[in-house]
Amino acid sequence: WSSLKIRFISWKNLQKVELTEEIADTIEEIEVMVSAMASSSYSVQIRDDLEDFTSVIVDARDTLADIIQNQDSLQQLIQIFSSSSVKLELKKFHNMLRRVSLEWDDLLHSVKQSTSGGGVSQMDHLTTAVFQNKFSHIQNSLEILNKGVTKYLSTRRLSFPRFFFLHDNELVSVLEHALQMHVFFGIH
């Protein structure tokens, strides 16, 4: 358990967790082993410890799944906010996204550094209260950002019904092109 290492990759200056099949398989194997140990009649004296460890395993597994889901959401938001038109229209949300990106990097850096200096394992670090509180804050911020972008894109779709057939990224591209045309022709 303590030897499991989470692999980190970089995407546009953003740290991401790469959930490898090896980690997923190892977590599943550990869950099976602990369950088998807990069901043994010889484990009566350590059954409470096994239940506690099972809870840590489940929490770490679920947190990793949530990290993957939220980093995909963060990545999509970064792509949407790479458009000048979205940045102009949603300045408050753009600033919030920059702050969330920094918090995300700090959070993942804390996981990466958790094993240095005799600290807890990366997997145990995922279940600490400090990590969970920071992660929960980031999740809430991402939810607010997603709602803001969805509302903005919905208003744009209402202004021109054919936009309903476009994916969010395609719509952002159209809006970006329209902004560039306005700037090129000096239209205000």
Side-chain angles (χ1 to χ4, degrees):
W1 179 252
S2 61
S3 65
L4 273 178
K5 297 284 185 214
I6 299 170
R7 189 162 172 234
F8 298 91
I9 56 175
S10 186
W11 177 82
K12 292 188 178 186
N13 297 325
L14 182 74
Q15 289 293 310
K16 288 180 56 177
V17 168
E18 183 177 51
L19 186 59
T20 62
E21 211 169 298
E22 176 187 347
I23 289 178
D25 290 346
T26 304
I27 290 172
E28 187 176 333
E29 288 172 14
I30 291 171
E31 279 185 276
V32 169
M33 285 190 304
V34 171
S35 176
M37 288 170 53
S39 65
S40 169
S41 60
Y42 298 108
S43 67
V44 173
Q45 287 128 353
I46 61 168
R47 191 152 290 144
D48 289 341
D49 293 334
L50 291 172
E51 287 175 9
D52 290 344
F53 187 55
T54 300
S55 144
V56 169
I57 294 168
V58 169
D59 289 348
R61 183 196 63 213
D62 292 348
T63 299
L64 271 174
D66 289 344
I67 287 172
I68 299 299
Q69 180 182 355
N70 282 283
Q71 77 185 10
D72 290 345
S73 175
L74 181 58
Q75 197 172 350
Q76 185 178 17
L77 285 166
I78 288 171
Q79 288 175 326
I80 289 172
F81 276 94
S82 66
S83 162
S84 300
S85 63
V86 176
K87 284 180 194 173
L88 283 172
E89 295 282 330
L90 301 172
K91 289 178 186 175
K92 180 179 99 176
F93 289 109
H94 179 253
N95 291 334
M96 184 179 190
L97 178 62
R98 288 190 337 203
R99 190 178 68 250
V100 168
S101 296
L102 292 173
E103 291 171 359
W104 180 264
D105 277 342
D106 287 344
L107 187 70
L108 292 188
H109 184 73
S110 74
V111 174
K112 195 187 277 190
Q113 299 302 317
S114 64
T115 55
S116 63
V120 298
S121 73
Q122 289 180 335
M123 300 307 284
D124 287 331
H125 185 76
L126 295 177
T127 63
T128 63
V130 171
F131 180 89
Q132 289 294 324
N133 288 338
K134 289 179 181 178
F135 186 55
S136 178
H137 172 72
I138 290 171
Q139 285 179 304
N140 292 337
S141 297
L142 286 172
E143 193 174 308
I144 292 167
L145 282 164
N146 276 318
K147 285 179 183 176
V149 168
T150 300
K151 183 177 178 182
Y152 166 72
L153 294 176
S154 293
T155 59
R156 293 296 177 214
R157 284 185 170 102
L158 289 173
S159 67
F160 192 65
R162 291 188 181 181
F163 286 163
F164 280 101
F165 298 102
L166 296 177
H167 186 271
D168 289 350
N169 290 337
E170 294 168 328
L171 177 55
V172 168
S173 178
V174 168
L175 296 173
E176 179 69 16
H177 182 71
L179 176 69
Q180 289 172 356
M181 295 304 292
H182 278 68
V183 170
F184 180 75
F185 290 113
I187 302 170
H188 297 305

